[in-house]
Amino acid sequence: MEGVQPLEENVGNTPRPRFERSKLLLVASIIQGLGLLLCLTYVCQHFRASQVSLQFAPVESIQAQLQTLSSDGCENNFIITLLKTYGNMEVQNKSVVIRCDGFYLISLKGYFSQEVNINLHYRKGAEPFPILKKDRFANSNVVLRLGYKDKVYLNVTTDSNSCKQLNVNAGELFVIHQNPGGYCAP
């Protein structure tokens, strides 16, 4: 037993490979470097994104007040006169002119002096969209696909044959483009 050393002394005298510790430090340094690179990339992209201007067209919208309605003679058919109060769309000949293709939210609110039927016209040759039937209070929302050169206007009819003027209180029409980025006329 003279040639055999105790177990504790054997473990301490065995040569260990020196590259274990240096290999672990190398892997840790690489991971830290990748983390730093990722952080730097994020900061640079965030800084660059804040400097880039929007390249999409602004959202097309209009808010228009409904004016007092009058007909020609003693007819019971009225076209609503619109007065633009807000937005970047235009009113021409009592119609909202559509410049961009896409889906539009059309909202009508108002109180009329007599019971009315309201139809929404939006495209030549297309059937009008009924919004209100025999009621005085309008609170209606509809989403329609509209295209360039469409014109949105409201046709109001009454069952009354009187020649009196039809009044509207707090009437507003909102037309809002829902998906900007498609074709838009200049």
Side-chain angles (χ1 to χ4, degrees):
M1 286 242 244
E2 292 177 16
V4 178
Q5 296 178 351
L7 186 59
E8 292 177 7
E9 291 176 55
N10 269 345
V11 173
N13 291 336
T14 56
R16 285 191 231 169
R18 297 186 130 198
F19 64 89
E20 252 183 58
R21 186 170 184 204
S22 60
K23 195 177 198 181
L24 185 61
L25 287 174
L26 179 66
V27 170
S29 296
I30 290 174
I31 291 173
Q32 285 179 341
L34 289 174
L36 183 62
L37 181 66
L38 183 64
C39 183
L40 186 62
T41 304
Y42 175 77
V43 169
C44 289
Q45 284 181 346
H46 182 69
F47 179 71
R48 183 173 176 232
S50 66
Q51 293 179 340
V52 175
S53 64
L54 292 178
Q55 297 177 358
F56 296 108
V59 174
E60 293 278 306
S61 65
I62 190 168
Q63 174 184 356
Q65 271 186 323
L66 308 181
Q67 297 293 300
T68 303
L69 311 173
S70 59
S71 65
D72 299 328
C74 289
E75 298 176 10
N76 61 352
N77 195 17
F78 302 87
I79 300 290
I80 293 181
T81 303
L82 300 172
L83 176 65
K84 178 180 171 181
T85 56
Y86 176 78
N88 55 2
M89 296 174 77
E90 296 298 321
V91 175
Q92 295 176 354
N93 298 328
K94 302 177 184 178
S95 302
V96 176
V97 179
I98 304 299
R99 296 183 319 131
C100 300
D101 293 345
F103 290 98
Y104 285 81
L105 171 67
I106 301 171
S107 177
L108 173 68
K109 298 176 189 297
Y111 182 78
F112 296 88
S113 60
Q114 43 184 307
E115 285 187 351
V116 294
N117 300 316
I118 301 177
N119 290 318
L120 173 76
H121 294 263
Y122 59 95
R123 186 171 295 142
K124 218 175 206 178
E127 287 291 317
F129 191 84
I131 290 185
L132 189 66
K133 293 227 185 241
K134 292 189 180 183
D135 203 352
R136 287 181 171 209
F137 180 69
N139 186 8
S140 179
N141 297 307
V142 64
V143 174
L144 294 173
R145 175 139 177 77
L146 302 176
Y148 173 61
K149 290 190 177 180
D150 283 344
K151 294 182 179 181
V152 174
Y153 67 93
L154 300 169
N155 185 14
V156 179
T157 58
T158 64
D159 291 336
S160 167
N161 288 331
S162 68
C163 291
K164 72 178 184 176
Q165 193 168 353
L166 178 63
N167 293 315
V168 60
N169 293 325
E172 290 182 318
L173 175 70
F174 296 92
V175 179
I176 303 169
H177 193 196
Q178 296 298 302
N179 57 338
Y183 174 74
C184 236

